[in-house]
Amino acid sequence: MRVLVVNPGSSSLKHALVDAGSDAILRHGEERWEPDAGSGRHARALRAALADAGGQAQAIGHRVVHGGLRFAGPARLDDGTRAAIAALAPLAPLHTRAALEGIDAAAAALPGLPQVACFDTAFHHTLPPEAATYALPREWTQRFGLRRYGFHGLNVDWCHEQAARILGPQRSRRLVVCHLGSGCSVSAVLAGRSVDTTMGFTPLEGVPMATRAGSIDPGLLLHLLASGIERDELDGALNHRSGLHGMTGLAGLREVEQAACGGDERARLALDVLVRGVSGAVAAMTTTLRGLDALVFSAGAGERSALLRSEVCARVSHLGVTLDDPRNSEHAERIGAAGAPVAVLVVRAGEEIVVARQTARVLEP
C-alpha cells in the first residue's frame, strides 16, 4: 500500500509518499508558511502534497501528537475518532489543531481515500505506574486523567527497531533514545517497551528545547501568576519564548552553537543548560533500565550536531559511554568507540515509515 504520510505543524506540513510494504520513501517534501498565513494553509499545502504524490496515494496516514488514554494504537479516522482527537486539543493545542486542520483538508480533497491517525503517545502506554503517575492528589488524578503520556513515540519506536537491526536484540535491550529536535525528549526502552520518558502530561515537560522551557519549578509559575503575569502570556512564553530562544534570542541550535563557539557567553550558557538537561535525563533513565546497553541520538539536532552529542556523552562517560570522535564528526551511524561497553548510534528519524506501516495495518482487510 502506498501511503501519503502527513505531519502537520503550526507553520509547515511535512509529507512523504511511502510504500508500506518495502519502507521505501517514494517522494517527500515540506510546505512552509508564515505563522500568520491565515486559514486554509493546510488545505493548500495538502493539495500541493497530493499533486507531488502524483495521484499514487492509496491511503493517508496522519501523525497526531496526543492520543490521551483512549488511543493506545492507530485508529481509522471517522467522525467519532476526529471528535475524540479534538477533545484532547487543550493538552497539545498547537500540534492537535494543526493535525485536525490536515485531517479536514484531506477529507475535503479526497473524501473516498481512507485516513488513519497514528499517535505519538501510543508507544508510551506501556509506562509502568511509577513512571506514569504524578505525586498529586488522587482525586485530581482520577478526575482529570492526569498522568505522564510521553511523546515522540513514533520515532522512539523506530529508533528501537533500528538499534536492534544494527546491534542485535541483546545489545539494544536497555536503550536510551535522545530525540533532540525543536522538541526534545529522552526515553528509556526495555526490550522494545517504553518504561520511562521525560515529556509528560503535555509536551512542555522534560529537558530544555528550542522554544520550550522544559521542566521548571511549579512554584516559580505560581509566583509569576501571583506577580501579574496572565495565563495566556505565561502559556505563550513557555511554548514559544523560552528554551534556547528565550535564553539567547537566537533561532535554533545551529545558531546557538555558532555563537557559543564565537565567544558569546549567553549562547554558551544556553548550550550548557541543554547539555546538562539531556545528560542528566540519560543518567536518570539508567536507573529505570538498571544499566545501559546503547544510546541513540535522533531528530534534527541529534542527527546533525556532533558538538551536542560529544558534550552529552562526555557527561555520561561514567556509564561506559565513549565516542569515536572522527566518526562522530562524520555523523556516522555507529559513533561509539570500539570496545566501549555502551554502543552509541545516530539514527535518522523515521516517523513517516512507522505511520505508513501502522496505516496499512489498520486498513488490512
Side-chain angles (χ1 to χ4, degrees):
M1 178 179 287
R2 293 182 299 278
V3 179
L4 177 63
V5 176
V6 178
N7 184 1
S10 59
S11 60
S12 70
L13 185 141
K14 298 177 184 177
H15 53 87
L17 183 66
V18 181
D19 185 321
S22 66
D23 292 344
I25 298 175
L26 306 175
R27 298 175 185 272
H28 62 85
E30 181 176 5
E31 309 295 326
R32 300 190 64 86
W33 52 80
E34 294 301 317
D36 59 352
S39 62
R41 54 198 184 276
H42 281 90
R44 293 190 293 271
L46 188 64
R47 283 195 292 271
L50 290 168
D52 186 56
Q56 298 179 59
Q58 297 168 292
I60 300 178
H62 296 266
R63 179 191 175 207
V64 179
V65 166
H66 213 310
L69 288 174
R70 173 167 175 176
F71 297 105
R76 184 161 183 165
L77 277 158
D78 55 24
D79 290 344
T81 305
R82 189 203 179 281
I85 294 170
L88 294 165
L91 303 184
L94 289 179
H95 299 85
T96 304
R97 289 168 189 160
L100 290 169
E101 190 173 343
I103 289 167
D104 293 342
L110 287 171
L113 209 61
Q115 299 190 70
V116 172
C118 303
F119 299 93
D120 255 331
T121 48
F123 183 71
H124 298 297
H125 271 245
T126 58
L127 288 176
E130 66 269 22
T133 303
Y134 288 109
L136 291 169
R138 181 177 174 82
E139 60 270 24
W140 290 4
T141 297
Q142 295 177 332
R143 179 181 175 187
F144 299 111
L146 305 180
R147 60 159 285 159
R148 176 169 287 106
Y149 288 104
F151 300 88
H152 295 142
L154 294 166
N155 191 49
V156 176
D157 189 7
W158 170 256
C159 286
H160 167 260
E161 177 185 319
Q162 296 309 300
R165 173 186 62 82
I166 298 165
L167 302 171
Q170 284 304 116
R171 285 280 286 149
S172 58
R173 185 173 182 273
R174 298 174 299 179
L175 181 71
V176 171
V177 177
C178 299
H179 179 112
L180 306 177
S182 295
C184 299
S185 67
V186 179
S187 300
V189 182
L190 181 63
R193 294 166 61 88
S194 174
V195 292
D196 208 347
T197 191
T198 53
M199 281 184 168
F201 184 67
T202 75
L204 276 174
E205 189 179 4
V207 302
M209 308 176 213
T211 65
R212 280 172 266 176
S215 295
I216 53 178
D217 181 357
L220 183 153
L221 303 181
L222 294 174
H223 172 74
L224 290 173
L225 291 170
S227 300
I229 300 295
E230 297 293 332
R231 182 199 177 282
D232 288 348
E233 182 182 358
L234 183 61
D235 189 332
L238 293 175
N239 277 289
H240 304 295
R241 301 196 305 278
S242 297
L244 298 178
H245 176 68
M247 289 183 281
T248 66
L250 299 172
L253 178 65
R254 180 178 299 177
E255 291 78 8
V256 171
E257 284 189 2
Q258 290 174 345
C261 292
D264 187 305
E265 292 183 1
R266 289 187 303 172
R268 183 62 252 182
L269 174 61
L271 187 59
D272 288 343
V273 169
L274 175 62
V275 169
R276 174 186 177 275
V278 174
S279 58
V282 171
M285 292 297 149
T286 67
T287 67
T288 298
L289 295 170
R290 307 292 196 271
L292 182 62
D293 295 317
L295 178 62
V296 171
F297 291 93
S298 187
E303 295 169 28
R304 295 190 286 270
S305 175
L307 176 62
L308 178 59
R309 294 192 300 261
S310 176
E311 295 199 2
V312 168
C313 289
R315 288 203 179 209
V316 293
S317 60
H318 61 288
L319 300 175
V321 177
T322 307
L323 286 186
D324 180 318
D325 291 328
R327 293 185 64 80
N328 181 47
S329 298
E330 296 165 1
H331 311 295
E333 186 176 66
R334 301 183 69 150
I335 61 172
V342 176
V344 187
L345 306 176
V346 176
V347 173
R348 183 175 180 179
E351 294 106 328
E352 67 273 14
I353 293 174
V354 177
V355 169
R357 290 176 183 171
Q358 291 186 0
T359 298
R361 188 168 67 247
V362 167
L363 297 175
E364 283 176 355

